[in-house]
Amino acid sequence: MHTILKENYGFVFEDKLIDEIAQVATLKDFKEGDVLIDFGDYIKKIPLLISGAIKILREDFDEGELLLYFIEKGETCAMTMACCLGETKSEIRAIAENKGKVVMIPVNFMEEWLGKYKSWRNFVFNSYNNRLKEMLSAIDSLAFLNMDERLMNYLLEKSKINGSKEIKSTHQEIAYDLHTSRVVISRLLKALENQGQIKLHRAIIEIVKS
């Protein structure tokens, strides 16, 4: 555990903090599609992502869910931290975008380390700041971008996170993340292909222009 933390967070945390995390945390493997946090859960542990990517969804009380942002290596979920501090139920669902590993830290250490370690305070505040920017970007996207622009931004983000120009997602899965219908997504994907921005293959979308 200590070696994994040192390799991935040694540039962020003090050695003493890494030692403490290694003593109390657990390492968890996950695979694509695993639900790591669900709506209504009381969150007992804070995730530090070692590898892979996790998408964070917000429940829409009228219908379905809305993609807020992705968590990548070296990051945590600010909304998870907020639930931990407020001892409230989770208002997000965290689903593994691909396989990876995550370090889970018991929540009772979070406040203690806020007062004890400057690096932990900076990490927490930066996480809040970065997630806020991403959520504002998501709001702007909903308010000001056409669905074809939202779709292209989504595909580019998926490509970056997975490190591949080929995106293995069904039209229905994309529609679910973008809170629209499969018919709309299929039509827009075909339009993007006609514009030369993507190529459609069986169960794969290839980014041509980035």
Side-chain angles (χ1 to χ4, degrees):
M1 174 74 78
H2 188 279
T3 301
I4 291 174
L5 287 166
K6 187 71 174 177
E7 289 175 351
N8 290 275
Y9 288 90
F11 62 97
V12 178
F13 299 143
E14 299 105 318
D15 287 342
K16 286 188 69 176
L17 176 55
I18 288 177
D19 289 340
E20 288 201 38
I21 295 174
Q23 289 172 21
V24 300
T26 55
L27 185 64
K28 179 178 180 178
D29 292 310
F30 58 81
K31 61 182 185 300
E32 181 180 345
D34 282 355
V35 178
L36 304 177
I37 299 169
D38 211 347
F39 302 121
D41 287 351
Y42 280 105
I43 298 171
K44 303 297 184 183
K45 294 186 178 181
I46 302 163
L48 295 182
L49 200 58
I50 299 299
S51 62
I54 300 169
K55 62 182 177 182
I56 304 299
L57 301 162
R58 178 76 161 84
E59 188 172 22
D60 185 317
F61 293 103
D62 292 325
E63 181 183 356
E65 298 163 8
L66 179 67
L67 175 66
L68 292 180
Y69 52 80
F70 289 93
I71 302 173
E72 300 179 68
K73 177 182 176 180
E75 297 180 340
T76 189
C77 179
M79 294 191 72
T80 300
M81 288 181 164
C83 290
C84 289
L85 286 173
E87 297 183 354
T88 58
K89 291 182 179 180
S90 171
E91 296 183 356
I92 57 97
R93 173 176 286 155
I95 300 178
E97 175 69 14
N98 45 41
K99 69 177 182 178
K101 296 179 183 292
V102 65
V103 170
M104 303 299 288
I105 301 173
V107 63
N108 53 298
F109 291 94
M110 182 175 172
E111 289 190 74
E112 176 188 336
W113 292 341
L114 281 173
K116 191 174 180 180
Y117 294 110
K118 181 179 179 181
S119 65
W120 181 255
R121 289 197 300 275
N122 290 339
F123 179 71
V124 170
F125 294 147
N126 286 336
S127 295
Y128 279 126
N129 186 49
N130 292 337
R131 295 290 84 86
L132 176 60
K133 288 179 180 178
E134 289 184 339
M135 283 191 284
L136 289 174
S137 178
I139 292 169
D140 286 345
S141 176
L142 282 170
F144 304 118
L145 294 184
N146 295 325
M147 182 56 76
D148 57 343
E149 295 173 300
R150 287 179 59 204
L151 174 58
M152 196 63 209
N153 286 345
Y154 170 87
L155 295 175
L156 290 171
E157 182 69 8
K158 292 266 283 189
S159 174
K160 178 174 78 73
I161 284 171
N162 289 289
S164 172
K165 294 286 188 180
E166 295 185 347
I167 298 164
K168 297 177 182 179
S169 294
T170 67
H171 295 191
Q172 183 59 58
E173 288 168 343
I174 297 171
Y176 188 80
D177 282 347
L178 295 182
H179 206 302
T180 187
S181 70
R182 182 192 59 77
V183 172
V184 168
I185 292 301
S186 296
R187 175 172 56 80
L188 291 176
L189 286 172
K190 192 62 182 176
L192 289 173
E193 184 177 44
N194 291 337
Q195 295 166 17
Q197 297 190 66
I198 64 171
K199 285 184 180 179
L200 298 176
H201 307 282
R202 184 175 181 81
I204 292 175
I205 301 165
E206 180 186 355
I207 302 288
V208 177
K209 291 185 177 179
S210 58

